[in-house]
Amino acid sequence: MNTKFNFLNRDIVSIRGFSREEIDYILEVAKSIEPLAEKGSDMLRGKVLAELFFEPSTRTMLSFQTAMYKLGGNVIGFAEPGVSSVWKGETLADTVRVVEKYSDIIVLRHPLEGSARFAAEYAQVPVINAGSGAEEHPTQALLDLYTILKAKGKIDGLNIALMGDLRYGRTVHSLAYALSLYNVKLNMVSPDLLRMRNEVLQDIRSRIDVTEYRDIEEILPELDVLYVTRIQKERFPDLGEYEKVRGTFAVNLKLLKSAKDDLIVLHPLPRLDEIAVEVDATPFAKYFEQARNGVVTRMALLALILGAIKNE
Ligand code: NCD
């Protein structure tokens, strides 16, 4: 940890704001902070995190809360804008300008793309994007990388597939950007309707090779990591289009017969029917551990942004 990075008061709007060295450093801090996820600490005592969740969430919201509590800090916020003044017509800009008076850091989830950047421009305190529409979910990408690193001991050299809703799924956008900073073989698996957005493909193809497939069977035997996502029904402008692709994917024991023994299967969760429950008890399944890794990764981020851990 020789290089000096400055995370103090930094916004996390997009994973594209990070260099590979910075991401590696965050993952190192996450590893070193692991024991505190059990023991707890008071390094953020007196600090307040505000959660503004304009969309449903289980893991992201609760893992940020857990991370803050484990480090001795406090949490305020809402998960149901209907009970806040947003319902009365308050703008996001005003909500942010008020909430920053109560808090040291804001975590925002919002259905609109660009919402996190907008909030970060208004807020004097750092803003973490916990999901901006179909655009990005940068902290999920960090915990995904942490999970891969923990399971495989490395990221470079791996053969990785992202499968599912690559068009509307924000986690795969952030993860694809992040993985393109590493020396990986990246495969995109989806029906045509759910192909990875062109802007993301163009960007990552300037750094690494990407191959697109319609069927997972074609590449499954070579994979080290299979990252599966839910089809994001709520983001389809036309439900008729959703009906055409629903149930397209089924990761089950029969399919996994052709996989390498040490393949890991990841999923940001919630899952619907894209991974059969029978997979849960196999060594392939790393998705619940992935959720747990979200706490550790977010502890590292909060400690860095709020200045409790410094790299000097
Ligand atoms: C995802 C999200 O909200 O983007 N969930 C999460 O944060 N772990 C994935 C999803 O909703 O499918």
Side-chain angles (χ1 to χ4, degrees):
M1 293 195 196
N2 295 325
T3 331
K4 192 171 165 183
F5 304 115
N6 191 6
F7 290 99
L8 188 66
N9 289 328
R10 190 151 157 189
D11 297 312
I12 302 188
V13 168
S14 163
I15 198 73
R16 283 181 288 174
F18 291 88
S19 67
R20 171 177 172 153
E21 289 70 28
E22 286 175 327
I23 292 178
D24 285 342
Y25 176 64
I26 294 168
L27 302 182
E28 262 180 66
V29 172
K31 190 173 173 209
S32 71
I33 223 170
E34 281 261 3
L36 300 187
E38 305 301 329
K39 286 199 306 231
S41 152
D42 64 354
M43 65 167 83
L44 292 183
R45 192 168 38 181
K47 299 285 185 191
V48 175
L49 175 146
E51 290 191 312
L52 309 183
F53 275 63
F54 293 82
E55 271 192 351
S57 173
T58 302
R59 277 147 296 273
T60 306
M61 193 179 74
L62 296 181
S63 68
F64 266 112
Q65 287 178 10
T66 308
M68 198 61 186
Y69 289 135
K70 287 285 183 184
L71 295 176
N74 294 295
V75 182
I76 59 169
F78 58 77
E80 173 49 78
V83 301
S84 76
S85 285
V86 171
W87 183 78
K88 300 181 192 165
E90 185 163 65
T91 61
L92 179 59
D94 279 3
T95 303
V96 162
R97 280 186 289 197
V98 170
V99 170
E100 71 176 16
K101 301 289 183 290
Y102 307 144
S103 60
D104 302 285
I105 186 162
I106 293 174
V107 177
L108 175 75
R109 170 169 286 190
H110 197 281
L112 287 182
E113 301 193 8
S115 51
R117 188 163 307 284
F118 178 82
E121 274 162 21
Y122 276 94
Q124 304 292 321
V125 300
V127 171
I128 298 184
N129 179 5
S132 48
E135 181 190 33
E136 275 218 52
H137 192 348
T139 64
Q140 177 74 40
L142 292 169
L143 77 89
D144 294 339
L145 292 183
Y146 186 65
T147 304
I148 296 173
L149 189 61
K150 253 180 100 169
K152 295 285 181 192
K154 61 175 186 178
I155 298 172
D156 284 320
L158 296 178
N159 194 342
I160 300 172
L162 309 183
M163 174 171 101
D165 188 344
L166 308 184
R167 179 168 181 188
Y168 297 113
R170 54 194 170 201
T171 69
V172 277
H173 299 155
S174 293
L175 183 57
Y177 286 129
L179 285 172
S180 72
L181 302 174
Y182 293 82
N183 181 18
V184 295
K185 194 164 180 309
L186 197 52
N187 309 281
M188 305 290 181
V189 185
S190 73
D192 285 344
L193 208 60
L194 300 179
R195 276 186 62 213
M196 180 59 84
R197 293 172 168 207
N198 263 329
E199 77 212 46
V200 182
L201 272 181
Q202 263 172 20
D203 183 280
I204 60 179
R205 279 195 164 129
S206 66
R207 287 181 293 282
I208 57 168
D209 285 338
V210 180
T211 319
E212 291 185 90
Y213 297 91
R214 285 198 192 84
D215 297 308
I216 184 67
E217 284 86 351
E218 288 183 66
I219 41 153
L220 185 66
E222 295 146 43
L223 292 179
D224 301 302
V225 180
L226 173 59
Y227 190 97
V228 187
T229 63
R230 172 180 71 91
I231 299 183
Q232 312 274 302
K233 181 180 178 186
E234 69 277 23
R235 304 206 193 281
F236 277 66
D238 172 358
L239 277 185
E241 297 284 279
Y242 170 72
E243 290 303 329
K244 285 187 202 156
V245 287
R246 77 184 278 190
T248 312
F249 313 100
V251 176
N252 50 34
L253 293 182
K254 188 164 163 261
L255 179 87
L256 291 171
K257 279 205 176 99
S258 63
K260 283 190 195 170
D261 288 346
D262 61 352
L263 169 80
I264 58 168
V265 177
L266 304 182
H267 191 305
L269 303 177
R271 80 167 141 187
L272 300 180
D273 50 9
E274 56 279 351
I275 302 180
V277 175
E278 64 190 17
V279 179
D280 298 359
T282 69
F284 298 120
K286 290 282 181 277
Y287 27 91
F288 291 112
E289 210 173 304
Q290 191 181 353
R292 194 245 169 212
N293 289 336
V295 173
V296 180
T297 312
R298 289 175 174 129
M299 284 170 70
L301 282 173
L302 294 173
L304 285 165
I305 296 171
L306 293 173
I309 294 180
K310 294 186 185 73
N311 172 240
E312 286 164 341

